[in-house]
């Protein structure tokens, strides 16, 4: 089994933002020389996350962020963390810091409407995503 590890940078522009990184991940998979296997997309940050959801209608991303904001407001009585970004830490843990996608014939096996998103919850910042591609 071959393993290829890469990373790339992401510049978020808003405090809460979902950035479509499907094309970056697809390109790295295509360049990896791996035909069949899987890829892990990992976010090495405590106030950001990785998720898979619809990338056809941008309203879906808007509605996910709106829902998270309602569940986890930026300021809330009872938060103790002195940085003032407890909501971002909570969102990061709820969404999760990685996704695993299967690779078939050098392509991501995503559904028609699925895309991979880097979720920023404490931007704007310079961020990094790590991709590990495994297979034959
Ligand atoms: Zn913090």
């Amino acid at each position: 089994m071959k393993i290829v590890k890469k990373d790339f940078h992401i510049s978020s522009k808003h405090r809460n933002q979902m950035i479509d990184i499907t094309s970056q991940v697809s390109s790295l998979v295509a360049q990896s020389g791996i035909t069949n296997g899987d890829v892990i997309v990992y976010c090495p940050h405590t106030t950001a996350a990785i998720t898979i959801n619809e990338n056809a209608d941008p309203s879906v991303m808007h509605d996910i962020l709106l829902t998270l904001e309602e569940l986890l407001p930026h300021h809330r009585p009872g938060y103790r963390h002195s940085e003032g970004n407890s909501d971002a830490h909570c969102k990061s843990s709820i969404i999760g810091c990685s996704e695993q996608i299967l690779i078939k014939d050098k392509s991501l096996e995503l559904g028609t409407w699925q895309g991979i998103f880097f979720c920023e919850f404490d931007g704007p910042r310079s961020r990094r995503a790590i991709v590990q591609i495994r297979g034959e």
Side-chain angles (χ1 to χ4, degrees):
M1 186 174 69
K2 187 178 169 187
I3 298 178
V4 177
K5 196 171 163 187
K6 299 276 179 185
D7 67 354
F8 60 93
H9 284 90
I10 296 149
S11 294
S12 61
K13 307 229 173 334
H14 307 287
R15 184 161 194 274
N16 290 281
Q17 187 180 2
M18 296 182 75
I19 300 160
D20 191 337
I21 57 169
T22 312
S23 62
Q24 288 97 316
V25 177
S26 286
S27 298
L28 292 173
V29 166
Q31 292 159 23
S32 70
I34 291 170
T35 306
N36 293 295
D38 62 17
V39 54
I40 295 169
V41 184
Y42 186 80
C43 160
H45 304 285
T46 60
T47 54
I50 303 288
T51 196
I52 294 173
N53 213 300
E54 176 166 340
N55 67 354
D57 179 3
S59 301
V60 174
M61 289 308 117
H62 170 272
D63 293 353
I64 290 173
L65 291 175
L66 184 71
T67 303
L68 287 171
E69 202 56 37
E70 196 176 305
L71 293 170
L72 296 158
H74 190 174
H75 301 290
R76 175 178 171 268
Y79 280 157
R80 291 185 179 175
H81 180 50
S82 62
E83 279 189 316
N85 61 354
S86 288
D87 62 315
H89 289 287
C90 294
K91 289 172 189 168
S92 171
S93 275
I94 286 171
I95 302 296
C97 60
S98 70
E99 288 286 354
Q100 181 180 26
I101 305 113
L102 300 176
I103 299 165
K104 186 182 174 188
D105 300 330
K106 298 182 181 177
S107 298
L108 297 170
E109 271 205 289
L110 290 168
T112 307
W113 309 109
Q114 285 183 317
I116 309 162
F117 290 87
F118 184 94
C119 310
E120 174 63 80
F121 297 128
D122 198 23
R125 286 190 195 217
S126 178
R127 300 290 204 175
R128 191 162 73 98
I130 303 169
V131 170
Q132 182 169 281
I133 306 152
R134 304 180 298 190
E136 306 291 339

